[in-house]
Amino acid sequence: MNSLARAGFACAVLVSLAGCATPGAEPQVSAPAAAPTPVAPPPYVGLASGAFGDSLDAANKTTANNAEVAALTSGERKTWRGDDGVYGYVAPGAANGDCRDFSHTVYINGRPKTGNGSACRAPDGGWKLKG
């Protein structure tokens, strides 16, 4: 009788487990939720993107703007060298809260051209040129 009770219990367990899945169906496994992809800040539009950099090609503008971001972030002078002998440097001023003034000198054909600007930290953590 004891073995009959065990068999009945085993049968009950199997029946209850069988009700959980459709015969022949693959078990459903839910994929883990994907982590949200962080949104990159928009590209920095610096002095080189405006009239100051009208003599620069797109690659040199990008290089010059990257130097502005590096100087604004570090508070240290940053030099850059682009294509065709174009080069320059960015000299940041002291931080004023979330903003910083700077000067940017570009040399094209050995002739310097200097522009001044001010940029502030944007809510996304990047920099935004004032004005």
Side-chain angles (χ1 to χ4, degrees):
M1 183 135 165
N2 201 4
S3 63
L4 185 58
R6 283 187 197 152
F9 176 75
C11 219
V13 169
L14 288 174
V15 168
S16 68
L17 289 176
C20 294
T22 305
E26 291 293 321
Q28 297 296 317
V29 178
S30 48
T37 304
V39 177
Y44 173 76
V45 178
L47 289 181
S49 297
F52 173 73
D54 59 1
S55 299
L56 300 175
D57 65 17
N60 287 329
K61 286 180 183 182
T62 298
T63 303
N65 284 336
N66 289 342
E68 282 183 20
V69 170
L72 291 166
T73 302
S74 69
E76 298 174 358
R77 178 179 156 147
K78 297 294 178 183
T79 59
W80 61 272
R81 183 164 297 281
D83 298 331
D84 302 323
V86 177
Y87 62 98
Y89 65 89
V90 181
N96 182 10
D98 285 342
C99 298
R100 189 183 294 273
D101 294 333
F102 65 95
S103 68
H104 192 153
T105 302
V106 174
Y107 290 86
I108 301 171
N109 295 324
R111 295 189 177 146
K113 181 177 181 181
T114 300
N116 295 302
S118 183
C120 297
R121 283 275 188 194
D124 62 17
W127 289 92
K128 182 169 174 61
L129 191 63
K130 287 172 49 177

